[in-house]
Structures are given as structure tokens and as C-alpha cells.
Amino acid sequence: MPLVRALGIALLGLMLTQGCAFSRGTLGDEIKSDAIASIKKGASTKAEVLTLLGAPDRLLQVNGRDVFQYYRYDAKAGSLLLIVVNFSRLSVKSDDLFVILNREGIVEDVISSKRTDGMEFRFWPFGD
Amino acid sequence: MLPRMPSACLIVLLVALSVINAGCNVIRIKLNTPITQDDVAFIEPGKTTLTEVIAKLGVPDSITDSYIGVVATYRFLDMKYSRINFGWLLKPWTPVDPDLIISRTGFGVDAYELLCDSNWVVTHQSFLRQLSGPLFNPYPF
């Protein structure tokens, strides 16, 4: 009977011992909020933007204007490994910044969003 | 009150439970936050500007130029993958790892596109695929 009990405890322990894995991957440098705040619409020049943020990831021509696009991707993966049942979830979000320059090379508009804020490691694949 | 279960029965039950759930994988991958019809209900072609859209949906993933205007695209993905390996049922009784796997993946790739005129006013808007959202269903046939 002690053997059965020991086996039972060992088996229960095995089933309750949850293996977890956390992984993270990023692409690109962080787009600093203070650098974005330093860009003034109607005043900052193309050279100033390049000094603050470096070369853009993409250079677009839209609506007769030059657009500098900066982006950064962040991926967080969580796994719950229960030996026989595994749950995993990978969340990928991006931070994007578009700096729109007029024909004179002056910043006309700055649009940005930081989607990666508040992104958490999650392993449960169901639900939102 | 439930009768006390003998230890041996408990062990068998635990083993049975582990075998029933043997070799299952459930994986989900999300890229950005999927946009729904409700999220874009406020957009009125001819009235709403791209700035108003950005204020609610965030910055698009890409902005491109075309002969008829500017195209702003929001991309997202909601991939669901599930897999069952029935070979695990035989694992305790065989010296090799037998595999009998069924799995299915729903990629759920979609995009929401906006066409704007030269004044950044939205003139057209549409989802690329209008996916209803794949389910976790490992049955591939």
C-alpha cells in the first residue's frame, strides 16, 4: 500500500508540475517617445528627423510627399507544457511611426502608435 | 458526501485522464489586434478623414500611393493550430514512438484597407477577406 501511495503521489506531482516556457523576439530598435515628441510639425526639417531617429525603415512617396516610416516588432510567446497537453500563444505587435514631409523637406505631420505597450506573455490560446 | 476513492482507482483515473489527453497541442498566434466590422462602423466614406481613423484604430501598417489616392492598410492575423497525436495511446506499450497525428491550421490572415483622396478623406474602405475566424478543430478531413 505505501508503494501505491508513493506512486500516486509521484504521478500526481508529475501531472501537476507544469512546464512553462517564455520566449521573446524583437525586430528593430525601440522608437523613443521623447524623440517623437521632439519633432515639431511645420518646423522640424528632414535632417533633424534623421538626426533624431536615424535612417527610416522605409521611404515612401505618398500624395506628393515624402514619408519616413519607422517600425519595430515585438513578439512574446508563452507555453504551458503539461507533458501530454501543450498550450502555446504567440502575440506579435508593432510600433509604427510615419513622418510626413512636404516638398520643402519640413515635417508636415507625425503619426505614431505604440501597440506593444501592455502586451503580455500569454499561454492560454482560447478567448481574445 | 462522495465515497472515498481507493488510491489504486485514483491512479488509474489519473493515468486514463492523461492518456485521453495524450499528445495534444493547441497553439495560437496573433499579429496585431484583429479589426472587426464594429470597429470600423464609424467610418463614413466621403466624410471621415484618415486622421480620425488613426485616432481610433492606430497607425496603419503601411501607407502606399496609387493613381486614385492613398491606400492605408491595417494587417492582422489570428492563426489557430490544433494537433492530436493518437500514437501516444500506444506509447506505454511499445518501445518506439508511434505517431498517428491529425492537425489543422487556420491562418486567419486578413487586412483592412482604406482608400483616401488627396485631402486624406476616406473614399473607400474594405476588408480583404472578411474572415469569420477559424476554430480550434484538429480534424483535417
Short mmCIF file of all heavy atoms in Angstrom, two decimals, chain A residues 20-47:
data_model
loop_
_atom_site.label_atom_id
_atom_site.label_comp_id
_atom_site.label_asym_id
_atom_site.label_seq_id
_atom_site.Cartn_x
_atom_site.Cartn_y
_atom_site.Cartn_z
N CYS A 20 6.72 25.46 -18.10
CA CYS A 20 6.41 26.74 -18.72
C CYS A 20 7.58 27.19 -19.59
O CYS A 20 8.73 26.85 -19.29
CB CYS A 20 6.16 27.81 -17.67
SG CYS A 20 4.68 27.53 -16.71
N ALA A 21 7.27 27.89 -20.64
CA ALA A 21 8.33 28.44 -21.49
C ALA A 21 7.94 29.85 -21.89
O ALA A 21 6.77 30.11 -22.21
CB ALA A 21 8.51 27.58 -22.72
N PHE A 22 8.90 30.74 -21.82
CA PHE A 22 8.67 32.12 -22.23
C PHE A 22 9.74 32.50 -23.25
O PHE A 22 10.93 32.26 -23.02
CB PHE A 22 8.76 33.07 -21.03
CG PHE A 22 7.73 32.79 -19.98
CD1 PHE A 22 8.03 32.01 -18.88
CD2 PHE A 22 6.45 33.30 -20.09
CE1 PHE A 22 7.08 31.74 -17.91
CE2 PHE A 22 5.49 33.04 -19.13
CZ PHE A 22 5.81 32.25 -18.03
N SER A 23 9.31 33.06 -24.35
CA SER A 23 10.27 33.47 -25.39
C SER A 23 9.89 34.87 -25.87
O SER A 23 8.72 35.24 -25.85
CB SER A 23 10.24 32.52 -26.58
OG SER A 23 10.44 31.21 -26.16
N ARG A 24 10.90 35.57 -26.32
CA ARG A 24 10.63 36.91 -26.82
C ARG A 24 11.53 37.21 -28.00
O ARG A 24 12.69 36.80 -28.03
CB ARG A 24 10.89 37.94 -25.70
CG ARG A 24 10.50 39.34 -26.11
CD ARG A 24 10.47 40.25 -24.93
NE ARG A 24 10.00 41.58 -25.33
CZ ARG A 24 9.93 42.60 -24.51
NH1 ARG A 24 10.26 42.46 -23.26
NH2 ARG A 24 9.50 43.77 -24.93
N GLY A 25 10.98 37.91 -28.96
CA GLY A 25 11.77 38.31 -30.12
C GLY A 25 11.40 39.72 -30.52
O GLY A 25 10.24 40.12 -30.43
N THR A 26 12.39 40.50 -30.91
CA THR A 26 12.11 41.86 -31.37
C THR A 26 12.79 42.10 -32.71
O THR A 26 13.80 41.47 -33.03
CB THR A 26 12.62 42.92 -30.36
OG1 THR A 26 14.00 42.69 -30.12
CG2 THR A 26 11.87 42.88 -29.06
N LEU A 27 12.20 42.98 -33.47
CA LEU A 27 12.78 43.37 -34.75
C LEU A 27 12.82 44.90 -34.79
O LEU A 27 11.78 45.54 -34.66
CB LEU A 27 11.93 42.84 -35.91
CG LEU A 27 12.31 43.34 -37.31
CD1 LEU A 27 13.64 42.74 -37.75
CD2 LEU A 27 11.23 42.98 -38.32
N GLY A 28 14.00 45.45 -34.93
CA GLY A 28 14.14 46.90 -34.98
C GLY A 28 14.39 47.50 -33.60
O GLY A 28 14.20 46.85 -32.58
N ASP A 29 14.83 48.74 -33.64
CA ASP A 29 15.11 49.46 -32.38
C ASP A 29 13.85 50.11 -31.86
O ASP A 29 12.93 50.42 -32.61
CB ASP A 29 16.17 50.54 -32.62
CG ASP A 29 17.49 49.94 -33.05
OD1 ASP A 29 17.81 48.83 -32.56
OD2 ASP A 29 18.19 50.56 -33.87
N GLU A 30 13.86 50.34 -30.56
CA GLU A 30 12.71 51.00 -29.95
C GLU A 30 12.60 52.44 -30.46
O GLU A 30 13.61 53.15 -30.55
CB GLU A 30 12.85 51.00 -28.43
CG GLU A 30 11.59 51.48 -27.75
CD GLU A 30 11.65 51.32 -26.24
OE1 GLU A 30 12.59 50.70 -25.73
OE2 GLU A 30 10.75 51.84 -25.59
N ILE A 31 11.37 52.83 -30.80
CA ILE A 31 11.14 54.21 -31.25
C ILE A 31 10.87 55.03 -30.00
O ILE A 31 9.84 54.86 -29.35
CB ILE A 31 9.95 54.28 -32.23
CG1 ILE A 31 10.16 53.29 -33.40
CG2 ILE A 31 9.77 55.68 -32.77
CD1 ILE A 31 8.92 53.06 -34.24
N LYS A 32 11.81 55.87 -29.65
CA LYS A 32 11.72 56.58 -28.37
C LYS A 32 10.67 57.69 -28.42
O LYS A 32 10.64 58.50 -29.35
CB LYS A 32 13.08 57.16 -27.99
CG LYS A 32 14.05 56.04 -27.60
CD LYS A 32 15.42 56.56 -27.33
CE LYS A 32 16.34 55.39 -27.00
NZ LYS A 32 17.74 55.69 -27.21
N SER A 33 9.84 57.70 -27.38
CA SER A 33 8.74 58.68 -27.31
C SER A 33 9.27 60.11 -27.24
O SER A 33 8.67 61.02 -27.83
CB SER A 33 7.88 58.41 -26.08
OG SER A 33 7.39 57.09 -26.12
N ASP A 34 10.40 60.30 -26.53
CA ASP A 34 10.91 61.67 -26.42
C ASP A 34 11.45 62.18 -27.76
O ASP A 34 11.37 63.37 -28.06
CB ASP A 34 11.98 61.79 -25.33
CG ASP A 34 13.08 60.75 -25.47
OD1 ASP A 34 12.88 59.80 -26.23
OD2 ASP A 34 14.14 60.90 -24.82
N ALA A 35 11.94 61.24 -28.58
CA ALA A 35 12.41 61.63 -29.92
C ALA A 35 11.22 62.05 -30.79
O ALA A 35 11.30 63.03 -31.54
CB ALA A 35 13.16 60.48 -30.56
N ILE A 36 10.12 61.30 -30.65
CA ILE A 36 8.91 61.63 -31.42
C ILE A 36 8.38 63.00 -30.97
O ILE A 36 7.99 63.83 -31.78
CB ILE A 36 7.83 60.55 -31.24
CG1 ILE A 36 8.33 59.20 -31.77
CG2 ILE A 36 6.54 60.93 -31.97
CD1 ILE A 36 7.44 58.02 -31.44
N ALA A 37 8.42 63.21 -29.65
CA ALA A 37 7.91 64.49 -29.12
C ALA A 37 8.77 65.67 -29.56
O ALA A 37 8.28 66.81 -29.61
CB ALA A 37 7.86 64.41 -27.60
N SER A 38 10.03 65.41 -29.86
CA SER A 38 10.93 66.50 -30.27
C SER A 38 10.65 66.98 -31.69
O SER A 38 11.09 68.07 -32.07
CB SER A 38 12.38 66.03 -30.21
OG SER A 38 12.69 65.54 -28.94
N ILE A 39 9.95 66.18 -32.46
CA ILE A 39 9.66 66.57 -33.85
C ILE A 39 8.48 67.53 -33.86
O ILE A 39 7.40 67.20 -33.37
CB ILE A 39 9.35 65.33 -34.72
CG1 ILE A 39 10.52 64.33 -34.66
CG2 ILE A 39 9.07 65.73 -36.16
CD1 ILE A 39 10.20 62.98 -35.27
N LYS A 40 8.71 68.71 -34.37
CA LYS A 40 7.67 69.74 -34.39
C LYS A 40 7.09 69.88 -35.80
O LYS A 40 7.83 70.10 -36.76
CB LYS A 40 8.24 71.10 -33.95
CG LYS A 40 8.93 71.07 -32.60
CD LYS A 40 7.96 70.82 -31.46
CE LYS A 40 8.69 70.71 -30.13
NZ LYS A 40 7.99 69.91 -29.14
N LYS A 41 5.77 69.78 -35.86
CA LYS A 41 5.10 69.95 -37.15
C LYS A 41 5.30 71.37 -37.66
O LYS A 41 5.14 72.34 -36.91
CB LYS A 41 3.60 69.68 -37.01
CG LYS A 41 3.25 68.24 -36.73
CD LYS A 41 1.74 68.09 -36.61
CE LYS A 41 1.39 66.78 -35.95
NZ LYS A 41 -0.05 66.63 -35.71
N GLY A 42 5.65 71.47 -38.93
CA GLY A 42 5.82 72.79 -39.55
C GLY A 42 7.15 73.44 -39.24
O GLY A 42 7.41 74.56 -39.71
N ALA A 43 7.99 72.81 -38.44
CA ALA A 43 9.27 73.43 -38.06
C ALA A 43 10.46 72.49 -38.26
O ALA A 43 11.48 72.90 -38.83
CB ALA A 43 9.20 73.87 -36.60
N SER A 44 10.33 71.25 -37.83
CA SER A 44 11.47 70.32 -37.93
C SER A 44 11.77 69.99 -39.39
O SER A 44 10.86 69.89 -40.23
CB SER A 44 11.17 69.03 -37.16
OG SER A 44 10.98 69.30 -35.80
N THR A 45 13.05 69.83 -39.65
CA THR A 45 13.47 69.53 -41.02
C THR A 45 13.78 68.04 -41.17
O THR A 45 13.89 67.31 -40.18
CB THR A 45 14.74 70.32 -41.39
OG1 THR A 45 15.79 69.90 -40.51
CG2 THR A 45 14.52 71.82 -41.24
N LYS A 46 13.93 67.65 -42.42
CA LYS A 46 14.28 66.25 -42.73
C LYS A 46 15.58 65.86 -42.03
O LYS A 46 15.68 64.78 -41.44
CB LYS A 46 14.45 66.12 -44.25
CG LYS A 46 14.63 64.70 -44.73
CD LYS A 46 14.97 64.66 -46.20
CE LYS A 46 13.80 65.01 -47.09
NZ LYS A 46 14.09 64.84 -48.53
N ALA A 47 16.56 66.77 -42.04
CA ALA A 47 17.85 66.48 -41.41
C ALA A 47 17.70 66.26 -39.91
O ALA A 47 18.33 65.36 -39.33
CB ALA A 47 18.82 67.63 -41.69
#
